[in-house]
Amino acid sequence: MNTSDLKNVNVAIVGAGYGGAAAAKALSLLGANVSVYEQATQTGEVGAGIGLRPATMHRFRQWGIFDAIAEVSSPSDYFEILSATGDPIMKDTWPEFGEETKTYLIHRGDFIHALLGVLPEGMVHLGHKLETVEDKGDHSVLTFVGGETVEADLVVGADGIKSVVRKQLFSDKGPVFSGEHAYRAVISSDDAYGMVVDDNLRMYIGKGTKVYLLPLRHRNQMSFDITALCPDSTWAPKITKDDLLKTVEGFDERIVNIARNLDMDTVNVRAVYDIDPVDTWHSDSVVLLGDAAHSMLHHQGQGANSAIEDAGALADALAQAGSVKDALASYQATRKPVTDELQRISRQGWTEDELNDVFPGQKPRAQQEA
């Protein structure tokens, strides 16, 4: 679509997370009239650290926001996988993308703050919880709790794993429990027992447990993440310090000490879910993006990165296609094969022995198709 056509396209993005904010930036640069609707009454992101891959950072350069992200992150040269006791298993550089060779390690809160900070004032509307979306072919109507309605030529459903847009228009299947819990905390580097030595991600693998150490040296902090097999599917489970320590039995004593010293009130605890692949992501005027389209397990570190790549691919498709309808078809054709494969690989995080220990004679649903 040419610039004059795009200037007449009204875009409503549902969700102001990574994918929604990135899509807002990319589509506004094309000249579209973009508004973002977020159900939260204030912006922010709980959790810990993530790695922004070279392809993601390439998009940020393309959109002119690289410096805003780099300012609150640390460039990493490689990642390392070790046994529970620290024996080397694998060490590799990050996959290069053109001139980009580094992955940037960033706190989730800093990331979303930086993304929202590069959007024009007034573009993001807080306190808008989506109630219904009506697809009328060449346009759609959003109705929010409280009765406010919005019409748009293009609706982007970037509303996460529990997406209202996906459920109402594309798939009524709910999130799938993976059989895992994730425990995440951010600690001072001074409390990391000397394990923050550079800007590179390290993963320690024990039986039924993985520990991720992601340095945030620009903050003098480290993201300390434990993923452990567990049959409790409660969305926000309650665990004790003893429960936490059991997951790291036999690990490097420094890791055990970090876990022992955690303030449980600062630990983000959740059961881990993804979704089964969604057959169709779009109609003529509505499209899914990020976790709403392909929420995946975190083993490959591709959740946020895939959302950014979706936003870039959607913008590319709109710039190149002759209509919104054609652009959405092109976008799905480009991105869905990639994310389907990432979802599949991400479900292969555990051995048969590990799964049988926790789920005798069966697999969690998320592992059944792996």
Side-chain angles (χ1 to χ4, degrees), residues 133-178:
V133 52
E134 297 177 81
D135 185 344
K136 295 184 177 294
D138 62 349
H139 71 285
S140 292
V141 178
L142 302 175
T143 301
F144 299 96
V145 172
E148 182 180 349
T149 62
V150 171
E151 290 193 15
D153 303 304
L154 171 60
V155 170
V156 179
D159 49 341
I161 189 171
K162 296 181 181 180
S163 170
V164 173
V165 178
R166 183 185 71 241
K167 183 176 181 180
Q168 291 192 2
L169 296 183
F170 301 108
S171 173
D172 61 0
K173 295 180 181 178
V176 179
F177 178 51
S178 67

Side-chain angles (χ1 to χ4, degrees), residues 172-217:
D172 61 0
K173 295 180 181 178
V176 179
F177 178 51
S178 67
E180 305 164 13
H181 281 185
Y183 312 130
R184 294 172 173 166
V186 175
I187 65 171
S188 169
S189 297
D190 300 332
D191 299 326
Y193 289 86
M195 301 196 83
V196 177
V197 295
D198 53 29
D199 294 308
N200 299 304
L201 172 67
R202 290 176 173 84
M203 179 174 70
Y204 290 73
I205 299 179
K207 189 171 184 180
T209 299
K210 297 180 175 70
V211 176
Y212 302 83
L213 305 183
L214 188 147
L216 300 166
R217 289 205 300 171

Side-chain angles (χ1 to χ4, degrees), residues 3-35:
T3 302
S4 59
D5 288 337
L6 284 166
K7 286 182 177 178
N8 294 320
V9 175
N10 292 315
V11 180
I13 298 175
V14 183
Y18 311 136
K25 184 62 180 180
L27 300 187
S28 65
L29 287 172
L30 295 179
N33 301 310
V34 179
S35 295

Side-chain angles (χ1 to χ4, degrees), residues 288-332:
L288 299 175
L289 180 148
D291 281 355
H294 49 66
S295 180
M296 62 189 72
L297 304 184
H298 57 278
H299 301 299
Q300 301 298 313
Q302 286 288 355
N305 288 283
S306 292
I308 305 303
E309 284 296 287
D310 287 352
L314 179 59
D316 291 346
L318 283 166
Q320 296 163 10
S323 67
V324 170
K325 175 183 176 180
D326 290 343
L328 300 188
S330 175
Y331 158 74
Q332 176 174 314

Side-chain angles (χ1 to χ4, degrees), residues 1-180:
M1 299 175 69
N2 59 45
T3 302
S4 59
D5 288 337
L6 284 166
K7 286 182 177 178
N8 294 320
V9 175
N10 292 315
V11 180
I13 298 175
V14 183
Y18 311 136
K25 184 62 180 180
L27 300 187
S28 65
L29 287 172
L30 295 179
N33 301 310
V34 179
S35 295
V36 183
Y37 299 93
E38 166 60 39
Q39 68 176 345
T41 56
Q42 59 183 16
T43 58
E45 180 74 20
V46 298
I50 56 175
L52 302 175
R53 301 294 180 84
T56 300
M57 298 305 293
H58 173 79
R59 284 293 184 185
F60 294 152
R61 284 192 189 277
Q62 183 182 29
W63 299 337
I65 63 173
F66 178 91
D67 289 344
I69 305 299
E71 186 178 358
V72 291
S73 60
S74 294
S76 169
D77 294 312
Y78 64 85
F79 63 95
E80 194 170 8
I81 300 175
L82 307 102
S83 72
T85 54
D87 295 322
I89 296 175
M90 187 185 81
K91 178 179 176 180
D92 203 356
T93 56
W94 300 101
E96 296 182 10
F97 191 93
E99 74 279 19
E100 304 294 348
T101 61
K102 298 180 186 297
T103 283
Y104 282 70
L105 308 183
I106 191 168
H107 188 281
R108 292 170 184 268
D110 293 342
F111 183 32
I112 193 62
H113 180 76
L115 279 179
L116 294 176
V118 299
L119 300 182
E121 186 175 351
M123 181 177 284
V124 178
H125 305 272
L126 301 178
H128 282 67
K129 183 176 182 179
L130 183 64
E131 191 166 55
T132 63
V133 52
E134 297 177 81
D135 185 344
K136 295 184 177 294
D138 62 349
H139 71 285
S140 292
V141 178
L142 302 175
T143 301
F144 299 96
V145 172
E148 182 180 349
T149 62
V150 171
E151 290 193 15
D153 303 304
L154 171 60
V155 170
V156 179
D159 49 341
I161 189 171
K162 296 181 181 180
S163 170
V164 173
V165 178
R166 183 185 71 241
K167 183 176 181 180
Q168 291 192 2
L169 296 183
F170 301 108
S171 173
D172 61 0
K173 295 180 181 178
V176 179
F177 178 51
S178 67
E180 305 164 13

